[in-house]
Amino acid sequence: MFITFIVFFIFWELAVKILHIEDWILPGPLQIIQALWSARHLIAFHSVSTVIEAVTGLLIAVVAGVGISIAMYWSVKLEKIIYPFLILSHL
């Protein structure tokens, strides 16, 4: 499988060079790697806030989901109100 990726990236790089595709349309993989490397500090800096926001969102969803499920377990009336919306959310 690793060889498949290597062949794909070589094909991509060659296609960009041979077909003279503009960089702004489709940069080659080497250009992308160079851009990522030159912006690594900026990417790392912004990755911290992105991970914090993603984990916070996950925790809020877990707390809300557990809270709603406990409320539905203890209240039949609340279950009858919320359950149809849960079924519709799966469509």
Side-chain angles (χ1 to χ4, degrees):
M1 185 158 168
F2 181 71
I3 294 174
T4 305
F5 284 116
I6 298 297
V7 169
F8 172 75
F9 286 126
I10 291 171
F11 176 74
W12 178 6
E13 186 71 33
L14 290 174
V16 168
K17 300 289 185 201
I18 293 171
L19 298 174
H20 303 291
I21 299 175
E22 298 288 333
D23 293 341
W24 60 273
I25 294 176
L26 180 65
L30 293 178
Q31 287 179 303
I32 294 172
I33 291 169
Q34 289 171 347
L36 287 172
W37 182 254
S38 66
R40 66 187 180 278
H41 300 295
L42 185 64
I43 292 170
F45 175 75
H46 289 290
S47 294
V48 173
S49 62
T50 301
V51 169
I52 290 171
E53 290 174 0
V55 169
T56 302
L58 177 64
L59 291 175
I60 290 170
V62 167
V63 169
V66 169
I68 291 171
S69 65
I70 290 172
M72 287 176 60
Y73 177 78
W74 289 106
S75 172
V76 175
K77 188 173 189 175
L78 190 60
E79 180 182 1
K80 288 182 180 181
I81 293 170
I82 295 175
Y83 195 72
F85 294 107
L86 292 176
I87 297 299
L88 285 174
S89 71
H90 286 91
L91 299 178

